[in-house]
Amino acid sequence: MKNHIVYYALAGVLRLLLMHSDYQNVIADRVEVSTALNSWKRITEGVYLKNVGVDPYSGDLFHETPLGLIIFDLIQKYLSYYGIWLLFVVTDLTTAVLLGIAATGYIKETIVRDKEEEALSDKKDNQGNKNTSITSPSTSSIFYVSAAYLFNPYIVLNCVGLTTTVFTNFLISVTLLAMIKKSTWSFCLSIAFLTLQGLYPVCLIVPAIISVVKDHKESEVPMKITKIVGLFLSVLIVLLLTSYYIMGSWSFLKNTLGFILLVPDLRPNIGLYWYFFTEMFEHFRSLFIASFQINVSLLFIIPLALKLRKDPMLLAFSYLAIDAIFKSYPCIGDVGFYLSLLPLWRHLFRHMQQGFIVGCFVLFCTIFAPTVWHQWIYSRSANANFYFGVTLAFAIAQIFLLTDILFANVKREFALRHGLASQVNGNQARLLLE
């Protein structure tokens, strides 16, 4: 326990030191860190416009929800600049705590589920001995999840840059914990907030529902699903009506949800939209906007839900990864969050085949992105194609990582049911690298 406190203190001090350094402004201005949706400068300007009587949604500057506008107005009114720094750090550390608690519940569930699978399957070799070559989930993964979040460079930069993704990650961690604890009210409220703020997290309602109904009788499932969906929609409608009451009109929808769907801001980021729609003929824009949005929001929901219905947490991880790759305005804070969950599936690593390649891709893209940006914007020795090439490679690396994890899960499920062959032609098998 003392070691854990030391790690949390070290992570907090690291963030505060970087915030107090000359690098804070540089980090906050990086296109990989701040986007049109999460920039603290835009939040500050939106709050200022509200306080001087100007509708912050009248232009193309402010894209936070009216509820967020009120909350951030109170934060800036009652907290000093150093107090705001401390708020971001404490929120980030709290997220790590919640992820650790969620990991504890998930590991326990996974161990129980694996024992049930083993009891129902024939996993004995010719001598009647149990095949022990399959890696089981370890409780040490709980610590690694929190550590991966606390010291993940993407998360640290995201916090130091004062992006509102810090609060988004906090709400997602609340959702995952509520999903593990099967707290219907909690995850409906958190997912409703996330949906109003970023739209794409609405897909998290699927694994949340599965986690609740999987322990119910089949006859009770339809009614339970109806109640959860009804509660979620009711909370979302209340939040929308509250936002309407705050602003006095529905104008905020165009600059929040409409901004995410229509992608009018094409400034560079680590996503795929900005370059594609910059180069596209305008009369094709509506078709491809619909294609891109269907890809990220609808295409994978049902197939993944059917395949991963026994593992809602892995399903939620898959949705978060897809959103971070294909959403319209991604940042490294989104990527860092789902990467922090990888230790939950340490038992799948031995079944993965592309870990080294993906690791190299991510490392090289992380280094090359600011380098190519400098060559493009400042040195004028490169162009937009160079930077987009890096972001495209980064997206491909993430796709390879996600597919590798999912295939590893399929391999392990097969091994749990049928065992892993340890003999070839009656002789003990050995793996040799030549």
Side-chain angles (χ1 to χ4, degrees):
M1 184 64 182
K2 291 182 179 180
N3 289 337
H4 290 190
I5 294 176
V6 171
Y7 293 136
Y8 279 91
L10 181 60
V13 170
L14 173 63
R15 286 162 168 78
L16 288 173
L17 286 176
L18 286 173
M19 287 177 176
H20 201 266
S21 70
D22 295 334
Y23 296 107
Q24 196 278 327
N25 289 329
V26 176
I27 294 171
D29 291 336
R30 290 300 311 173
V31 295
E32 299 88 1
V33 177
S34 295
T35 68
L37 289 178
N38 68 1
S39 171
W40 185 250
K41 289 183 178 180
R42 288 178 179 247
I43 295 292
T44 302
E45 293 179 17
V47 169
Y48 174 79
L49 290 175
K50 170 186 173 295
N51 290 333
V52 297
V54 178
D55 182 3
Y57 298 106
S58 59
D60 192 29
L61 173 72
F62 186 73
H63 306 289
E64 187 57 62
T65 63
L67 289 172
L69 179 64
I70 297 298
I71 293 171
F72 291 124
D73 184 20
L74 294 174
I75 289 174
Q76 295 189 9
K77 185 178 297 184
Y78 294 106
L79 291 180
S80 64
Y81 201 66
Y82 295 104
I84 293 174
W85 287 359
L86 189 60
L87 174 65
F88 274 85
V89 173
V90 170
T91 303
D92 225 21
L93 300 184
T94 305
T95 301
V97 173
L98 296 179
L99 288 178
I101 299 172
T104 303
Y106 173 72
I107 293 297
K108 291 179 180 178
E109 281 188 6
T110 305
I111 292 173
V112 172
R113 187 175 67 247
D114 285 354
K115 288 180 179 179
E116 293 175 351
E117 287 282 346
E118 291 175 3
L120 295 174
S121 62
D122 182 12
K123 293 176 77 300
K124 294 189 176 181
D125 59 22
N126 295 333
Q127 287 75 35
N129 297 321
K130 189 176 181 180
N131 189 342
T132 58
S133 59
I134 300 175
T135 307
S136 299
S138 172
T139 53
S140 61
S141 299
I142 299 167
F143 167 73
Y144 290 130
V145 169
S146 297
Y149 187 86
L150 290 172
F151 299 104
N152 188 323
Y154 293 163
I155 296 297
V156 174
L157 293 176
N158 178 66
C159 181
V160 173
L162 300 181
T163 68
T164 58
T165 307
V166 170
F167 303 107
T168 301
N169 289 344
F170 171 76
L171 287 175
I172 296 175
S173 67
V174 171
T175 301
L176 297 180
L177 179 58
M179 191 173 71
I180 292 296
K181 299 294 184 181
K182 296 177 175 55
S183 176
T184 304
W185 271 99
S186 298
F187 69 65
C188 283
L189 183 61
S190 59
I191 296 175
F193 269 108
L194 287 167
T195 302
L196 186 63
Q197 192 272 336
L199 185 62
Y200 301 114
V202 67
C203 60
L204 292 177
I205 196 67
V206 177
I209 290 174
I210 293 174
S211 69
V212 171
V213 304
K214 67 179 181 177
D215 297 328
H216 287 71
K217 297 178 181 179
E218 290 187 9
S219 59
E220 300 174 351
V221 169
M223 183 58 67
K224 191 68 178 177
I225 293 176
T226 302
K227 289 182 179 179
I228 295 174
V229 173
L231 177 60
F232 166 70
L233 293 176
S234 299
V235 174
L236 183 59
I237 290 171
V238 169
L239 293 178
L240 285 170
L241 292 176
T242 304
S243 299
Y244 173 80
Y245 176 78
I246 292 172
M247 298 308 302
S249 70
W250 295 105
S251 61
F252 68 92
L253 288 176
K254 179 182 177 181
N255 271 19
T256 53
L257 300 182
F259 184 79
I260 295 170
L261 284 173
L262 300 178
V263 201
D265 192 326
L266 298 180
R267 272 169 283 195
N269 53 57
I270 63 169
L272 303 175
Y273 286 66
W274 65 274
Y275 185 85
F276 191 87
F277 289 103
T278 298
E279 300 294 327
M280 176 174 292
F281 292 112
E282 189 63 27
H283 55 277
F284 288 125
R285 181 181 175 86
S286 298
L287 171 64
F288 283 94
I289 281 285
S291 301
F292 272 60
Q293 297 295 359
I294 289 172
N295 178 69
V296 63
S297 58
L298 297 176
L299 190 61
F300 301 101
I301 289 181
I302 295 178
L304 286 175
L306 293 175
K307 181 60 186 175
L308 301 176
R309 61 189 181 278
K310 295 182 180 179
D311 196 342
M313 183 63 84
L314 183 56
L315 178 60
F317 168 83
S318 302
Y319 287 158
L320 291 173
I322 290 171
D323 289 349
I325 298 169
F326 296 112
K327 68 192 299 186
S328 49
Y329 299 101
C331 69
I332 57 174
D334 303 315
V335 178
F337 184 88
Y338 82 79
L339 289 180
S340 301
L341 298 177
L342 281 178
L344 283 177
W345 295 282
R346 287 177 62 211
H347 54 283
L348 298 179
F349 289 175
R350 72 185 301 266
H351 301 285
M352 295 175 64
Q353 296 179 333
Q354 301 162 355
F356 177 75
I357 296 175
V358 170
C360 290
F361 258 74
V362 171
L363 177 61
F364 293 155
C365 292
T366 302
I367 296 172
F368 286 153
T371 304
V372 174
W373 177 266
H374 181 83
Q375 290 180 321
W376 174 26
I377 301 299
Y378 299 101
S379 299
R380 304 293 178 90
S381 58
N383 55 40
N385 297 323
F386 288 72
Y387 190 76
F388 178 69
V390 175
T391 61
L392 182 60
F394 190 55
I396 292 172
Q398 295 178 75
I399 293 170
F400 270 76
L401 173 62
L402 178 59
T403 54
D404 206 15
I405 284 284
L406 295 179
F407 276 123
N409 183 63
V410 172
K411 294 174 186 176
R412 187 172 182 276
E413 285 183 350
F414 180 86
L416 280 173
R417 295 190 185 97
H418 306 288
L420 293 175
S422 58
Q423 291 187 348
V424 177
N425 297 328
N427 299 318
Q428 188 68 26
R430 291 189 302 167
L431 179 64
L432 299 176
L433 298 178
E434 297 181 356

